[in-house]
Amino acid sequence: MPNSDDFRVKRIQKMLLEMAKGNFFYSLEPSDKNDNIASLVVMLNMVNEEIRASFVHQGFANAHHTPQCIIQLSLLMDAHSTVEMVTNGSCSLLSCLPKDVIGKPITELMTETSRRKWAKKLPKLLKRERSETVLHMELITHQGLVLSNDCHISVFNSLDGTGQKILLNTVFFSKGEPFETGLPKKTLKVTKGIKEPKVILSPKDIQMIRDVHDMILNNLEKDLPQLKDLALQMGTNEYKLKYGFKQLYGTTIFRCLVQERLRKTRTLIQHSDLSLKQIAHMTGFKSPAHFSRAFKDKYGLSPSELRETSR
């Protein structure tokens, strides 16, 4: 039977396999049952949501080690595979300028193996108005290095009537900071405005700030102490904690807490049967009204509207 425990367990197995393959956009619909399997489904969806957000924010960064940075490679081509647009990130990866790529066939950037694969697959994609596929491609940089990765290929009709377009997209990860940041490898300078750096974060300081971030994630239902008290608790000073956190995570400690709370509420709304009042209480919001306002400001929908569209 479709609703049997065996079937539900197989759905969970399918989700775990998708996550193992790196697909964190796969989720399970919650069931009407209230048992251990249903609870497991909710927890898996929440974990999946957390990993997906980490993927977007830090590129699978390990919270206890140096973060990785996402560099996206995107090329827009016409139906003849001639490059029409290229992103700055793509030029950084390919070690070239836009003028070195635009107006040239993408096959000039490919290895011989990828050229054959491209020539075989592209005609099939162009037969339809819209089509998508994933191909493992090898691109050659200006310095002769090979970039090998799975690429998402999309074919679609342009709105200006100029015919079919081809979009090639993929993501690479680099350890440490993005290209050309000029930051030291073992220390992290923290600046305020345009003044000279006043604080240097040691690896120990960076680990301390990551511990603060972990504490936020694990205690979303609780309010944080004052920054001065939190810094004292973590064995540092308020200035280093405040600006070090913003340098590492791109936001303030308070905004991080609110963002993580809202992200958790969205997961609970979509994948659980908890009432909105319960969700607000579980995630540390003072009142359902405050929760509703903050949620709508973030996602453009009220919690009740999102729940309605998720059913």
Side-chain angles (χ1 to χ4, degrees), residues 15-36:
M15 181 174 182
L16 291 173
L17 289 173
E18 290 295 326
M19 293 174 67
K21 292 188 294 184
N23 178 14
F24 299 107
F25 293 88
Y26 188 96
S27 61
L28 297 176
E29 292 293 330
S31 67
D32 297 331
K33 294 187 177 183
N34 186 17
D35 55 14
N36 290 336

mmCIF file of all heavy atoms in Angstrom, residues 15-36:
data_model
loop_
_atom_site.group_PDB
_atom_site.id
_atom_site.type_symbol
_atom_site.label_atom_id
_atom_site.label_comp_id
_atom_site.label_asym_id
_atom_site.label_seq_id
_atom_site.Cartn_x
_atom_site.Cartn_y
_atom_site.Cartn_z
ATOM 1 N N MET A 15 15.717 9.664 -0.242
ATOM 2 C CA MET A 15 16.204 10.988 0.113
ATOM 3 C C MET A 15 17.651 10.952 0.576
ATOM 4 O O MET A 15 18.466 11.798 0.205
ATOM 5 C CB MET A 15 15.326 11.596 1.203
ATOM 6 C CG MET A 15 15.758 13.001 1.612
ATOM 7 S SD MET A 15 14.628 13.767 2.772
ATOM 8 C CE MET A 15 15.417 15.388 2.949
ATOM 9 N N LEU A 16 17.995 9.948 1.394
ATOM 10 C CA LEU A 16 19.371 9.818 1.862
ATOM 11 C C LEU A 16 20.335 9.590 0.702
ATOM 12 O O LEU A 16 21.453 10.116 0.689
ATOM 13 C CB LEU A 16 19.471 8.672 2.871
ATOM 14 C CG LEU A 16 18.779 8.908 4.222
ATOM 15 C CD1 LEU A 16 18.806 7.637 5.052
ATOM 16 C CD2 LEU A 16 19.467 10.042 4.973
ATOM 17 N N LEU A 17 19.912 8.813 -0.284
ATOM 18 C CA LEU A 17 20.752 8.594 -1.465
ATOM 19 C C LEU A 17 20.936 9.883 -2.249
ATOM 20 O O LEU A 17 22.034 10.169 -2.761
ATOM 21 C CB LEU A 17 20.120 7.514 -2.356
ATOM 22 C CG LEU A 17 20.170 6.075 -1.814
ATOM 23 C CD1 LEU A 17 19.368 5.141 -2.715
ATOM 24 C CD2 LEU A 17 21.610 5.597 -1.699
ATOM 25 N N GLU A 18 19.862 10.672 -2.369
ATOM 26 C CA GLU A 18 19.969 11.956 -3.063
ATOM 27 C C GLU A 18 20.922 12.891 -2.331
ATOM 28 O O GLU A 18 21.737 13.575 -2.948
ATOM 29 C CB GLU A 18 18.586 12.601 -3.196
ATOM 30 C CG GLU A 18 17.645 11.908 -4.158
ATOM 31 C CD GLU A 18 18.140 11.970 -5.594
ATOM 32 O OE1 GLU A 18 18.753 12.989 -5.960
ATOM 33 O OE2 GLU A 18 17.935 10.993 -6.331
ATOM 34 N N MET A 19 20.829 12.925 -1.018
ATOM 35 C CA MET A 19 21.730 13.766 -0.227
ATOM 36 C C MET A 19 23.170 13.294 -0.366
ATOM 37 O O MET A 19 24.100 14.101 -0.423
ATOM 38 C CB MET A 19 21.297 13.752 1.238
ATOM 39 C CG MET A 19 19.958 14.436 1.493
ATOM 40 S SD MET A 19 19.384 14.255 3.197
ATOM 41 C CE MET A 19 20.618 15.231 4.086
ATOM 42 N N ALA A 20 23.365 11.973 -0.420
ATOM 43 C CA ALA A 20 24.716 11.426 -0.591
ATOM 44 C C ALA A 20 25.313 11.831 -1.930
ATOM 45 O O ALA A 20 26.528 11.986 -2.065
ATOM 46 C CB ALA A 20 24.682 9.903 -0.468
ATOM 47 N N LYS A 21 24.448 12.028 -2.934
ATOM 48 C CA LYS A 21 24.914 12.450 -4.260
ATOM 49 C C LYS A 21 25.088 13.961 -4.348
ATOM 50 O O LYS A 21 25.488 14.484 -5.375
ATOM 51 C CB LYS A 21 23.924 11.980 -5.334
ATOM 52 C CG LYS A 21 23.883 10.474 -5.525
ATOM 53 C CD LYS A 21 23.046 10.067 -6.726
ATOM 54 C CE LYS A 21 21.597 10.392 -6.536
ATOM 55 N NZ LYS A 21 20.755 9.902 -7.661
ATOM 56 N N GLY A 22 24.745 14.680 -3.266
ATOM 57 C CA GLY A 22 24.903 16.128 -3.269
ATOM 58 C C GLY A 22 23.658 16.896 -3.654
ATOM 59 O O GLY A 22 23.707 18.105 -3.832
ATOM 60 N N ASN A 23 22.526 16.193 -3.787
ATOM 61 C CA ASN A 23 21.272 16.859 -4.125
ATOM 62 C C ASN A 23 20.550 17.249 -2.844
ATOM 63 O O ASN A 23 19.849 16.447 -2.245
ATOM 64 C CB ASN A 23 20.390 15.945 -4.974
ATOM 65 C CG ASN A 23 19.048 16.587 -5.306
ATOM 66 O OD1 ASN A 23 18.872 17.797 -5.137
ATOM 67 N ND2 ASN A 23 18.118 15.793 -5.781
ATOM 68 N N PHE A 24 20.709 18.495 -2.417
ATOM 69 C CA PHE A 24 20.069 18.951 -1.189
ATOM 70 C C PHE A 24 18.797 19.743 -1.471
ATOM 71 O O PHE A 24 18.307 20.482 -0.624
ATOM 72 C CB PHE A 24 21.057 19.787 -0.372
ATOM 73 C CG PHE A 24 22.280 19.007 0.031
ATOM 74 C CD1 PHE A 24 23.500 19.235 -0.582
ATOM 75 C CD2 PHE A 24 22.186 18.017 0.995
ATOM 76 C CE1 PHE A 24 24.621 18.502 -0.224
ATOM 77 C CE2 PHE A 24 23.302 17.272 1.360
ATOM 78 C CZ PHE A 24 24.518 17.517 0.751
ATOM 79 N N PHE A 25 18.288 19.617 -2.684
ATOM 80 C CA PHE A 25 17.023 20.245 -3.030
ATOM 81 C C PHE A 25 15.897 19.208 -3.076
ATOM 82 O O PHE A 25 14.817 19.468 -3.557
ATOM 83 C CB PHE A 25 17.133 20.961 -4.384
ATOM 84 C CG PHE A 25 18.050 22.146 -4.335
ATOM 85 C CD1 PHE A 25 19.408 22.005 -4.557
ATOM 86 C CD2 PHE A 25 17.560 23.408 -4.047
ATOM 87 C CE1 PHE A 25 20.269 23.096 -4.499
ATOM 88 C CE2 PHE A 25 18.417 24.497 -3.980
ATOM 89 C CZ PHE A 25 19.763 24.351 -4.214
ATOM 90 N N TYR A 26 16.185 18.032 -2.586
ATOM 91 C CA TYR A 26 15.212 16.947 -2.534
ATOM 92 C C TYR A 26 14.603 16.919 -1.133
ATOM 93 O O TYR A 26 15.318 16.922 -0.132
ATOM 94 C CB TYR A 26 15.906 15.614 -2.824
ATOM 95 C CG TYR A 26 14.986 14.427 -2.998
ATOM 96 C CD1 TYR A 26 14.578 14.019 -4.261
ATOM 97 C CD2 TYR A 26 14.531 13.713 -1.898
ATOM 98 C CE1 TYR A 26 13.747 12.924 -4.424
ATOM 99 C CE2 TYR A 26 13.697 12.615 -2.054
ATOM 100 C CZ TYR A 26 13.315 12.228 -3.315
ATOM 101 O OH TYR A 26 12.480 11.143 -3.475
ATOM 102 N N SER A 27 13.289 16.924 -1.031
ATOM 103 C CA SER A 27 12.644 16.880 0.277
ATOM 104 C C SER A 27 11.446 15.949 0.224
ATOM 105 O O SER A 27 10.957 15.596 -0.852
ATOM 106 C CB SER A 27 12.198 18.282 0.712
ATOM 107 O OG SER A 27 11.256 18.814 -0.201
ATOM 108 N N LEU A 28 10.982 15.549 1.408
ATOM 109 C CA LEU A 28 9.853 14.631 1.518
ATOM 110 C C LEU A 28 8.617 15.363 2.021
ATOM 111 O O LEU A 28 8.706 16.210 2.916
ATOM 112 C CB LEU A 28 10.191 13.497 2.491
ATOM 113 C CG LEU A 28 11.348 12.579 2.091
ATOM 114 C CD1 LEU A 28 11.627 11.581 3.206
ATOM 115 C CD2 LEU A 28 11.027 11.839 0.797
ATOM 116 N N GLU A 29 7.473 15.013 1.460
ATOM 117 C CA GLU A 29 6.218 15.584 1.932
ATOM 118 C C GLU A 29 5.861 14.966 3.286
ATOM 119 O O GLU A 29 5.948 13.758 3.463
ATOM 120 C CB GLU A 29 5.092 15.310 0.937
ATOM 121 C CG GLU A 29 5.238 16.045 -0.387
ATOM 122 C CD GLU A 29 5.101 17.537 -0.228
ATOM 123 O OE1 GLU A 29 4.364 17.964 0.697
ATOM 124 O OE2 GLU A 29 5.737 18.283 -0.988
ATOM 125 N N PRO A 30 5.462 15.800 4.266
ATOM 126 C CA PRO A 30 5.057 15.237 5.553
ATOM 127 C C PRO A 30 3.770 14.436 5.427
ATOM 128 O O PRO A 30 2.928 14.731 4.578
ATOM 129 C CB PRO A 30 4.854 16.473 6.435
ATOM 130 C CG PRO A 30 4.564 17.569 5.469
ATOM 131 C CD PRO A 30 5.354 17.261 4.228
ATOM 132 N N SER A 31 3.631 13.415 6.255
ATOM 133 C CA SER A 31 2.435 12.574 6.203
ATOM 134 C C SER A 31 1.449 12.980 7.291
ATOM 135 O O SER A 31 1.754 13.802 8.161
ATOM 136 C CB SER A 31 2.815 11.103 6.380
ATOM 137 O OG SER A 31 3.306 10.887 7.691
ATOM 138 N N ASP A 32 0.268 12.428 7.223
ATOM 139 C CA ASP A 32 -0.765 12.707 8.225
ATOM 140 C C ASP A 32 -0.533 11.925 9.510
ATOM 141 O O ASP A 32 -1.161 12.202 10.529
ATOM 142 C CB ASP A 32 -2.156 12.361 7.669
ATOM 143 C CG ASP A 32 -2.515 13.227 6.468
ATOM 144 O OD1 ASP A 32 -2.012 14.368 6.420
ATOM 145 O OD2 ASP A 32 -3.268 12.760 5.602
ATOM 146 N N LYS A 33 0.353 10.946 9.462
ATOM 147 C CA LYS A 33 0.594 10.119 10.635
ATOM 148 C C LYS A 33 1.457 10.858 11.656
ATOM 149 O O LYS A 33 2.201 11.767 11.318
ATOM 150 C CB LYS A 33 1.261 8.805 10.235
ATOM 151 C CG LYS A 33 0.372 7.906 9.386
ATOM 152 C CD LYS A 33 1.028 6.557 9.169
ATOM 153 C CE LYS A 33 0.116 5.623 8.379
ATOM 154 N NZ LYS A 33 0.709 4.281 8.206
ATOM 155 N N ASN A 34 1.329 10.448 12.896
ATOM 156 C CA ASN A 34 2.102 11.042 13.977
ATOM 157 C C ASN A 34 2.873 9.932 14.697
ATOM 158 O O ASN A 34 2.502 9.478 15.774
ATOM 159 C CB ASN A 34 1.181 11.781 14.938
ATOM 160 C CG ASN A 34 1.966 12.538 16.002
ATOM 161 O OD1 ASN A 34 3.153 12.766 15.860
ATOM 162 N ND2 ASN A 34 1.294 12.893 17.084
ATOM 163 N N ASP A 35 3.957 9.468 14.046
ATOM 164 C CA ASP A 35 4.747 8.385 14.617
ATOM 165 C C ASP A 35 6.225 8.671 14.423
ATOM 166 O O ASP A 35 6.610 9.756 13.988
ATOM 167 C CB ASP A 35 4.356 7.046 13.994
ATOM 168 C CG ASP A 35 4.466 7.065 12.470
ATOM 169 O OD1 ASP A 35 5.095 8.000 11.939
ATOM 170 O OD2 ASP A 35 3.929 6.146 11.823
ATOM 171 N N ASN A 36 7.066 7.702 14.739
ATOM 172 C CA ASN A 36 8.514 7.915 14.659
ATOM 173 C C ASN A 36 8.983 8.174 13.232
ATOM 174 O O ASN A 36 9.899 8.971 13.004
ATOM 175 C CB ASN A 36 9.246 6.702 15.233
ATOM 176 C CG ASN A 36 9.097 6.588 16.731
ATOM 177 O OD1 ASN A 36 8.857 7.583 17.405
ATOM 178 N ND2 ASN A 36 9.234 5.383 17.260
#
